């Protein structure tokens, strides 16, 4: 299996690096990108290779997020930095859902509309569950979908799982071992089957990326600045995701009286998540509502969930209500999360979110996932769990032209 597909390479960023210019690299993805792993290591390697260049590295990774949120936050987290190169890493969190291809294309088209000279690089991380497909000669489903986008737009891609899988086959790597267990001389790739260890696991990712970068440098035609391809028609017909955006909640929202806007000065949780949100809209009582009027195909919420989270009763254009639980099986602690409603016909919509009076059986949620530690946390902190709090950070919209 090939680990690297060069396609049109990274002609513009490599030229700027070789010329000793200022270069901005944005690392855009999930937790593997946010961690101080391949992101830090590859930027350090590039600084060593190109000591005359001023390399600026931007961390645009957010734990537990996929390409759908990526489309919405692209302007805020990526494009405003005027990047020369964007790493795109969403295969793991997208999980191979069919919509991933459209969303990845939405990311590419937004970048290309911003600048036809920005280079893009797809990197595909690997989970332990992917090893079976790799060892039978197949890339994971999500990577295969993204490869269609890469082919269509001439974007280079790196399959990080090829080297990892080969090392496992050769008996040189243990993919997953508990953190409290050690085997002298063994290279441990992860402690949780998903996130590589630092430095050992992420060094394998880094080595794969850097040798691919060297190949792109060797293959580069010295023809000056290269304008990348932006076909008029998207690969996915009528793809709306290049029109995704992330907005302050109060830009389009009417709040009932029980909502409060909490700032870092008001609330410790906002200070903790100030890197994501300047403030949080917070309500604690059932019956409190927000109403959003918008034009488009998708609406979503970027929020903070935790043990105290409630659920929302949602009505779209006066239809039958649906329930969206903001408490999940991960919420034995506070964490950033988000949700999109199902796709709507493109047009004007009124969406009403109401904190539901009925409470989720949170212990049962943990029991269903087999999480005994979290079930014990409920027992020890029952008052914390016995609440219906909603804490909203941003409004997510997809708004293609009517």
């Amino acid at each position: 299996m090939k680990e690297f597909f060069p396609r049109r390479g990274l002609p513009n960023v490599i030229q700027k690096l070789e010329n000793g210019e200022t270069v901005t690299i944005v690392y855009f993805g999930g937790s593997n990108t946010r961690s101080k792993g391949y992101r830090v290591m590859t930027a350090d390697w590039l600084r060593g290779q190109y000591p005359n260049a001023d390399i600026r590295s931007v961390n645009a990774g957010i734990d537990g997020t996929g390409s759908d949120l990526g489309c919405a936050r692209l302007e805020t987290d990526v494009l405003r930095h005027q990047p020369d190169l964007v790493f795109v890493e969403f295969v793991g969190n997208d999980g191979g859902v069919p919509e991933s291809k459209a969303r990845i294309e939405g990311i590419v088209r937004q970048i290309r509309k911003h600048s036809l000279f920005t280079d893009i690089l797809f990197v595909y991380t690997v989970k332990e569950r992917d090893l079976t497909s790799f060892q039978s000669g197949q890339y994971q489903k999500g990577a295969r979908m993204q490869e269609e986008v890469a082919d269509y737009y001439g974007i280079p891609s790196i399959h990080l799982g090829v080297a990892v899988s080969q090392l496992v086959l050769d008996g040189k790597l243990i993919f997953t071992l508990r953190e409290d267990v050690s085997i002298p001389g063994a290279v441990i790739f992860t402690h949780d089957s998903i996130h590589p260890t630092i430095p050992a696991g992420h060094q394998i990712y880094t080595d794969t990326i850097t040798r691919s970068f060297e190949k792109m440098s060797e293959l580069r035609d010295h023809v000056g600045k290269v304008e990348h391809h932006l076909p008029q028609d998207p690969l996915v017909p009528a793809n709306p995701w290049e029109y995704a955006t992330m907005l302050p909640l109060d830009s389009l929202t009417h709040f009932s009286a029980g909502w409060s806007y909490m700032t870092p000065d008001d609330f410790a949780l906002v200070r903790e998540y100030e890197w994501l949100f300047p403030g949080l809209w917070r309500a604690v009582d059932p019956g409190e509502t927000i109403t959003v009027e918008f034009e488009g195909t998708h609406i979503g919420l970027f929020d903070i969930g935790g043990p105290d989270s409630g659920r929302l009763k949602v009505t779209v254009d006066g239809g039958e209500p649906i329930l969206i639980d903001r408490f999940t099986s991960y919420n034995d602690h506070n964490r950033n999360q988000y949700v999109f409603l199902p796709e709507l016909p493109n047009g004007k919509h009124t969406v009403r979110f109401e904190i539901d009076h009925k409470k989720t059986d949170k212990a049962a949620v943990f029991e269903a996932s087999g999480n005994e530690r979290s079930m014990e946390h409920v027992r020890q902190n029952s008052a914390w769990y016995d609440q219906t709090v909603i804490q909203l950070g941003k409004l997510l919209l997809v708004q293609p032209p009517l």
Side-chain angles (χ1 to χ4, degrees):
M1 296 177 72
K2 289 174 63 177
E3 69 180 16
F4 172 52
F5 293 83
R7 298 188 179 91
R8 297 193 71 193
L10 304 175
N12 298 322
V13 74
I14 290 175
Q15 177 177 282
K16 292 185 76 171
L17 288 166
E18 290 177 349
N19 291 344
E21 298 179 45
T22 297
V23 167
T24 298
I25 303 173
V26 177
Y27 293 83
F28 188 43
S31 53
N32 282 320
T33 293
R34 182 160 181 79
S35 73
K36 294 180 180 179
Y38 87 88
R39 170 180 57 83
V40 173
M41 293 174 176
T42 56
D44 285 346
W45 179 86
L46 287 168
R47 292 185 183 103
Q49 294 292 113
Y50 302 97
N52 296 325
D54 178 12
I55 298 172
R56 301 175 180 179
S57 172
V58 177
N59 183 359
I62 302 179
D63 296 357
T65 65
S67 59
D68 46 1
L69 181 65
C71 286
R73 66 184 182 92
L74 196 72
E75 175 63 42
T76 302
D77 293 352
V78 178
L79 300 182
R80 71 180 179 89
H81 298 288
Q82 306 298 324
D84 297 290
L85 169 62
V86 181
F87 279 73
V88 178
E89 178 268 310
F90 286 114
V91 155
N93 286 339
D94 277 6
V97 297
E99 297 82 5
S100 177
K101 182 164 70 172
R103 296 164 181 169
I104 290 294
E105 183 181 35
I107 289 171
V108 171
R109 293 186 71 84
Q110 285 187 63
I111 295 171
R112 291 274 164 92
K113 284 193 295 185
H114 179 80
S115 171
L116 291 174
F117 300 102
T118 299
D119 293 337
I120 303 170
L121 176 63
F122 287 175
V123 291
Y124 308 132
T125 57
V126 65
K127 299 180 180 181
E128 187 167 28
R129 71 185 187 199
D130 301 323
L131 283 184
T132 303
S133 61
F134 270 93
Q135 292 172 356
S136 63
Q138 273 209 327
Y139 304 108
Q140 65 267 61
K141 183 180 176 182
R144 296 198 300 271
M145 287 191 291
Q146 287 199 31
E147 284 292 270
E148 295 180 50
V149 178
D151 277 336
Y152 192 67
Y153 292 93
I155 295 168
S157 59
I158 303 174
H159 293 262
L160 301 174
V162 173
V164 175
S165 179
Q166 189 61 52
L167 288 168
V168 172
L169 275 177
D170 294 343
K172 298 177 179 178
L173 184 77
I174 297 172
F175 199 100
T176 302
L177 191 69
R178 291 199 336 253
E179 200 165 357
D180 59 349
V181 178
S182 62
I183 299 177
V187 177
I188 310 304
F189 187 62
T190 78
H191 296 307
D192 63 359
S193 81
I194 296 170
H195 300 98
T197 54
I198 298 174
H202 269 280
Q203 189 62 57
I204 297 168
Y205 278 179
T206 301
D207 292 344
T208 305
I209 293 168
T210 56
R211 64 175 166 262
S212 300
F213 203 97
E214 288 175 331
K215 289 175 186 174
M216 281 185 276
S217 184
E218 293 166 7
L219 292 169
R220 185 172 75 86
D221 292 326
H222 294 264
V223 295
K225 210 170 184 181
V226 173
E227 188 172 281
H228 290 298
H229 185 44
L230 179 60
Q232 181 176 349
D233 294 326
L235 173 65
V236 177
N239 187 356
W241 284 94
E242 67 182 279
Y243 303 102
T245 188
M246 184 169 70
L247 299 173
L249 269 149
D250 53 1
S251 59
L252 294 172
T253 303
H254 173 75
F255 295 87
S256 64
W259 290 87
S260 299
Y261 186 68
M262 312 300 289
T263 70
D265 293 334
D266 305 323
F267 199 46
L269 185 67
V270 183
R271 290 193 291 277
E272 183 181 346
Y273 285 95
E274 192 176 2
W275 63 280
L276 276 182
F277 310 120
L280 288 172
W281 287 94
R282 188 171 192 268
V284 301
D285 295 325
E288 297 295 343
T289 64
I290 66 168
T291 304
V292 184
E293 295 183 1
F294 79 105
E295 293 181 357
T297 57
H298 295 77
I299 182 171
L301 300 170
F302 194 10
D303 60 344
I304 301 295
D308 55 359
S309 289
R311 58 189 194 178
L312 293 167
K313 186 163 59 177
V314 185
T315 55
V316 179
D317 300 328
E320 287 296 312
I322 60 172
L323 287 174
I324 296 177
D325 205 334
R326 302 318 298 137
F327 177 85
T328 74
S329 59
Y330 300 102
N331 284 141
D332 58 1
H333 62 285
N334 293 313
R335 68 194 298 268
N336 57 267
Q337 54 191 33
Y338 66 99
V339 63
F340 277 96
L341 299 190
E343 184 171 4
L344 300 167
N346 193 16
K348 295 182 178 181
H349 301 286
T350 300
V351 182
R352 184 176 184 270
F353 300 87
E354 178 184 343
I355 300 179
D356 193 30
H357 285 77
K358 189 173 181 182
K359 296 175 182 176
T360 299
D361 186 340
K362 296 174 180 179
V365 172
F366 291 141
E367 185 176 10
S369 62
N371 192 334
E372 178 57 41
R373 180 182 61 82
S374 295
M375 290 166 63
E376 180 59 29
H377 194 254
V378 176
R379 288 190 283 268
Q380 293 179 3
N381 301 274
S382 57
W384 192 7
Y385 284 88
D386 189 27
Q387 299 182 65
T388 56
V389 175
I390 299 293
Q391 301 174 126
L392 305 177
K394 293 282 189 176
L395 185 64
L396 310 173
L397 298 174
V398 180
Q399 298 182 290
L402 290 171

